[in-house]
Amino acid sequence: MTAAAKPETLGFQTEARQILHLMIHSIYSNKEIFLRELISNASDACDKLRFEALNAPELHENDSNPGIRISIDEDAGTITLADNGIGMSRDEVIDNLGTIARSGTAKFLENLSGDQKKDAQLIGQFGVGFYSSFIVADRVVVETRRAGLAPDQAVRWSCAGEAEYQLEAISKGERGTTITLHLKEEEKEFANAWRLRTIIKKYSDHIMIPISMVKPAPAKAEEGAEQEVEWEVVNKASALWTRPRSDISDEDYKAFYQHVSHDFRDPLVWSHNRVEGKYDYTSLLYIPSEPPFDLYQRDTPRGVKLYVQRTFIMDDAEQFLPLYLRFVKGVIDSSDLPLNVSRELLQNSPAVSSIRSALTKRVLDMLEKMATDNPEDYKTFWAAFGSVLKEGMAEDFANREKIAELLRFTSTAADKDQKISLADYVARIKPSQDKIHYLIADSYEAAINSPYLEIFRKHGIEVLLLTDRIDEWLMSHLTEFQGVQLRNIAKGELDLGELEDDKSDGKSDDPEQDKADTSELTEKIAGILGDKVEGVRISRRLTDSPACLVVGEHELGVQMRRILEAAGQPVPDSKPVLEINPDHPLLSKFSDGGDSAIEDLAWVVYRQALILSGDDLDNPGEFIRQLNRLLIA
Ligand code: ADP
């Protein structure tokens, strides 16, 4: 494509326009982040150049020292940021600065809270960094030339409003990108060297590319004497992870986290290690405190930043951690990989798989330590990433036990907002108890009020209340913990063996006797419900409720069936057993009603049990009519 000779006016894509509107009109706090965003882009551009030049050294042209230069013109009220990174071609300018390709941006817009501070924090996280220039500028000019293109293949992009921008072919000697911000009248204070240095120190000290500014002229400069412009580097410009731990402050670690993660909240913990052995590498891994918006999108970029001997190789090297640890952010710097390593190569590298198992273990240890030393932090972690960690039970066979120890659940023995571990449960298990009991429900309220709990409550046996929508799936991968079996209390015949020596339930000791007394009733109800149920039997679970539905021990519960349905997979046909509590007054009504009342009664008992099982009511209209007939009678 040839560059247009005359300036051309192009329109922004809708989302880009929305973001611009937000930047121009709505960000009132934390305005200084624009500089961090632009520096981060410039640093990425230098990294990209270095990486592409590994295979095409000519891209360095005549200058292989990456750098960012920031200058100001106080009188004109402008800030100029120049990098000698990869630059952009005309098409890239249109793609990158005129549209927002990522689906994430729509999410960003949805996530806006109206709270300026929070929204400003979202900007970086959602990668709308460049547009943050418009927080402080009312006109932005970008001049750029992609490395390797001829000087006259450069482009000027300029924009002074929300709707459109101008593109123009220009000539530019140095490769890379120069961005000039024409500050808004009320933001002119940013055109101040001291102010900018402070902001750079605050946010960008750890950027590995040197950021230079003009050295302040000596105070006693002679009047009228020509001053040679001297640049000086204002950031540390060294790889943080290569410094000894003792030299790095918590603030440094946190600032670096923000740089690698684009998350501007503090991380919960980090772990910085240099490993020397079969493979030599340094890792710096962080656990964030809150989930990103796209944690559950499987194609979301994940993984760590990969460096080989301090040379940036790629973002999102996902081969170094398993999928269920995708929330971990950080850096890995290896000495055992070639500089031209590709994603394909990473996949088959023994070094990578060895580092991956070590990092996995490191993260799990970090979590375990947090759980022991800082339970409050662990609670935050669990709320943010617990559901993702659960995936590890299926994904990582080798670390199953470790992961199981990290799981947290609500329980009948704890408050609603308190979560316990399986080890807590096992520690309080009754001497006669041989199982860890759990119940799956849609919510804590549904669980704690569930009839399935009645007999356990009566005997003072703790039951875990599992309310995450993947918990039934999780439990299919967790059948035992510390040698104790786990059991879903809503499935199969209830084995009360462990309670046998406690006869306080007032029922006869002989289940056969119970059966004989009530077989007429169960048969009657079974006859009415027909093929809705597998059968009807007397319940050992219930003390207060009239009935509940129970599926076979190895059959799918409501949650699993929903998961399969949502995935468009066939759901095996299975029918529940209706368990009834003959001591309940509603059941005694069966002996004194007429035929039609008995039929309504049977259906109402069944459909109530259906609702309580967490399943959808099969025929709500019919249910209401049956119930109303009984109420009126
Ligand atoms: P992000 O940096 O999160 O991708 P931005 O809106 O900040 O989002 O930038 C959009 C894109 O514009 C970048 O991904 C990059 O391709 C390009 N870009 C921005 N600044 C520069 C620069 N200084 N040099 C080269 N490309 C840049």
Side-chain angles (χ1 to χ4, degrees):
M1 182 165 216
T2 52
K6 273 200 257 149
E8 202 183 330
T9 298
L10 287 94
F12 282 111
Q13 168 220 32
T14 318
E15 281 86 354
R17 204 176 308 163
Q18 277 172 289
I19 298 291
L20 269 174
H21 183 87
L22 176 80
M23 297 302 150
I24 296 171
H25 299 287
S26 318
I27 306 291
Y28 304 110
S29 62
N30 218 12
K31 295 183 174 192
E32 63 196 26
I33 60 153
F34 77 91
L35 191 61
R36 171 193 77 197
E37 296 296 311
L38 296 182
I39 290 176
S40 170
N41 281 349
S43 149
D44 287 349
C46 293
D47 280 344
K48 274 185 213 160
L49 174 79
R50 189 150 48 171
F51 182 65
E52 284 193 25
L54 290 173
N55 292 320
E58 66 280 8
L59 291 182
H60 279 309
E61 302 180 2
N62 52 8
D63 168 18
S64 60
N65 294 319
I68 301 170
R69 286 185 162 187
I70 300 178
S71 49
I72 49 180
D73 181 334
E74 278 186 48
D75 300 331
T78 59
I79 300 177
T80 300
L81 194 136
D83 67 65
N84 59 358
I86 190 73
M88 286 177 273
S89 66
R90 185 178 189 278
D91 287 350
E92 284 169 333
V93 169
I94 296 174
D95 280 351
N96 294 333
L97 307 185
T99 60
I100 295 175
R102 266 155 305 183
S103 58
T105 308
K107 276 269 183 218
F108 166 76
L109 291 164
E110 278 169 28
N111 269 274
L112 292 176
S113 62
D115 174 335
Q116 298 305 328
K117 204 162 169 203
K118 281 198 197 134
D119 290 350
Q121 283 181 345
L122 281 175
I123 296 166
Q125 193 190 346
F126 284 79
V128 287
F130 168 75
Y131 294 102
S132 59
S133 326
F134 289 90
I135 300 175
V136 294
D138 48 19
R139 192 165 115 80
V140 176
V141 179
V142 179
E143 295 187 344
T144 184
R145 174 169 71 78
R146 198 177 207 286
L149 292 183
D152 65 354
Q153 298 277 297
V155 194
R156 177 182 295 132
W157 178 101
S158 55
C159 169
E162 285 166 46
E164 52 194 34
Y165 59 93
Q166 276 75 44
L167 267 194
E168 193 179 345
I170 56 163
S171 186
K172 185 174 185 297
E174 311 78 43
R175 63 148 197 272
T177 304
T178 301
I179 299 179
T180 303
L181 307 181
H182 296 261
L183 297 171
K184 295 177 187 172
E185 204 45 54
E186 65 276 21
E187 310 297 348
K188 292 254 159 78
E189 52 131 350
F190 282 108
N192 172 296
W194 179 82
R195 182 80 209 272
L196 293 191
R197 279 167 189 254
T198 315
I199 302 174
I200 294 169
K201 277 272 165 214
K202 180 164 167 194
Y203 295 108
S204 311
D205 209 25
H206 52 271
I207 295 272
M208 275 167 70
I209 313 287
I211 304 169
S212 309
M213 288 185 70
V214 173
K215 203 171 175 176
K220 280 190 272 171
E222 267 176 46
E223 198 71 21
E226 267 300 302
Q227 289 285 318
E228 177 93 352
V229 175
E230 224 185 304
W231 292 87
E232 69 178 346
V233 175
V234 295
N235 63 331
K236 276 217 180 67
S238 77
L240 175 116
W241 63 90
T242 58
R243 287 158 43 196
R245 277 192 292 215
S246 52
D247 282 8
I248 309 175
S249 70
D250 284 2
E251 290 316 311
D252 291 338
Y253 276 121
K254 286 178 190 171
F256 187 72
Y257 166 74
Q258 301 189 339
H259 171 63
V260 290
S261 66
H262 288 282
D263 172 10
F264 299 101
R265 294 161 292 220
D266 284 345
L268 281 176
V269 279
W270 55 86
S271 170
H272 179 192
N273 299 88
R274 186 190 308 262
V275 177
E276 280 163 12
K278 188 162 175 223
Y279 299 108
D280 294 350
Y281 62 92
T282 301
S283 63
L284 171 52
L285 303 177
Y286 291 92
I287 311 281
S289 56
E290 280 187 57
F293 68 95
D294 52 3
L295 184 63
Y296 290 101
Q297 289 165 16
R298 287 252 154 176
D299 51 355
T300 299
R302 62 185 180 88
V304 290
K305 259 185 198 288
L306 173 65
Y307 289 79
V308 171
Q309 293 171 28
R310 288 192 259 314
T311 300
F312 170 78
I313 304 296
M314 64 178 80
D315 282 314
D316 317 320
E318 73 267 17
Q319 295 80 357
F320 289 91
L321 284 168
L323 188 61
Y324 74 97
L325 297 180
R326 60 184 174 275
F327 49 84
V328 174
K329 303 283 179 203
V331 165
I332 159 114
D333 189 344
S334 154
S335 313
D336 298 295
L337 295 169
L339 278 169
N340 61 354
V341 69
S342 63
R343 286 188 190 270
E344 292 66 41
L345 243 152
L346 286 181
Q347 224 128 41
N348 303 314
S349 153
V352 174
S353 70
S354 158
I355 297 173
R356 176 188 165 114
S357 17
L359 294 186
T360 302
K361 207 175 154 300
R362 173 143 289 141
V363 173
L364 296 176
D365 288 345
M366 212 185 338
L367 292 175
E368 194 183 302
K369 190 167 178 329
M370 194 203 308
T372 318
D373 299 350
N374 291 306
E376 277 306 308
D377 280 358
Y378 194 73
K379 208 169 152 183
T380 308
F381 161 77
W382 185 258
F385 302 111
S387 301
V388 180
L389 190 70
K390 286 176 184 175
E391 295 171 13
M393 289 302 296
E395 196 187 335
D396 189 353
F397 198 82
N399 288 303
R400 252 180 199 201
E401 272 172 42
K402 258 184 171 323
I403 301 168
E405 279 167 21
L406 293 168
L407 300 175
R408 294 294 180 270
F409 302 106
T410 43
S411 154
T412 53
D415 294 338
K416 179 181 177 181
D417 52 1
Q418 195 187 347
K419 304 250 181 202
I420 67 149
S421 68
L422 293 170
D424 293 335
Y425 186 110
V426 171
R428 336 183 241 265
I429 214 162
K430 292 195 160 193
S432 59
Q433 190 182 339
D434 62 356
K435 291 190 185 66
I436 298 172
H437 298 283
Y438 65 89
L439 172 67
I440 291 170
D442 283 345
S443 65
Y444 178 81
E445 274 65 33
I448 198 78
N449 292 305
S450 166
Y452 300 102
L453 288 181
E454 288 170 8
I455 192 75
F456 292 89
R457 192 171 281 136
K458 181 163 182 177
H459 291 280
I461 293 182
E462 179 172 5
V463 177
L464 297 175
L465 305 174
L466 278 48
T467 55
D468 189 354
R469 65 190 167 78
I470 60 161
D471 279 341
E472 191 184 338
W473 170 84
L474 168 73
M475 287 317 204
S476 67
H477 297 279
L478 175 62
T479 48
E480 207 190 273
F481 179 78
Q482 294 182 353
V484 188
Q485 270 193 332
L486 282 100
R487 193 163 194 294
N488 184 335
I489 63 165
K491 282 188 180 179
E493 290 241 34
L494 192 62
D495 170 13
L496 290 180
E498 59 198 76
L499 308 177
E500 244 157 29
D501 44 5
D502 183 350
K503 301 285 194 292
S504 60
D505 65 357
K507 289 191 180 170
S508 89
D509 286 357
D510 179 3
E512 292 306 315
Q513 184 59 39
D514 283 346
K515 265 186 204 155
D517 291 349
T518 46
S519 63
E520 202 186 324
L521 179 58
T522 55
E523 272 166 32
K524 198 186 277 179
I525 299 175
I528 295 167
L529 299 179
D531 61 4
K532 283 281 183 191
V533 291
E534 185 65 41
V536 180
R537 68 174 175 240
I538 302 300
S539 184
R540 310 271 302 159
R541 290 176 161 83
L542 303 173
T543 60
D544 304 325
S545 300
C548 66
L549 287 171
V550 177
V551 295
E553 190 147 5
H554 302 292
E555 281 171 20
L556 300 182
V558 177
Q559 261 194 355
M560 275 304 272
R561 278 190 279 130
R562 283 200 189 129
I563 291 175
L564 288 181
E565 268 162 19
Q569 304 225 5
V571 182
D573 214 15
S574 70
K575 281 183 218 157
V577 170
L578 180 72
E579 287 197 353
I580 56 167
N581 171 9
D583 299 336
H584 193 278
L586 200 57
L587 273 296
S588 60
K589 286 203 166 217
F590 275 92
S591 49
D592 43 55
D595 275 358
S596 63
I598 285 179
E599 197 166 327
D600 280 344
L601 204 54
W603 282 109
V604 166
V605 166
Y606 162 74
R607 291 196 162 119
Q608 284 183 347
L610 192 63
I611 296 173
L612 286 168
S613 75
D615 212 342
D616 299 325
L617 197 51
D618 59 335
N619 188 339
E622 183 71 10
F623 174 61
I624 299 295
R625 275 192 293 278
Q626 289 159 340
L627 190 62
N628 287 347
R629 278 200 295 265
L630 288 175
L631 288 172
I632 292 163

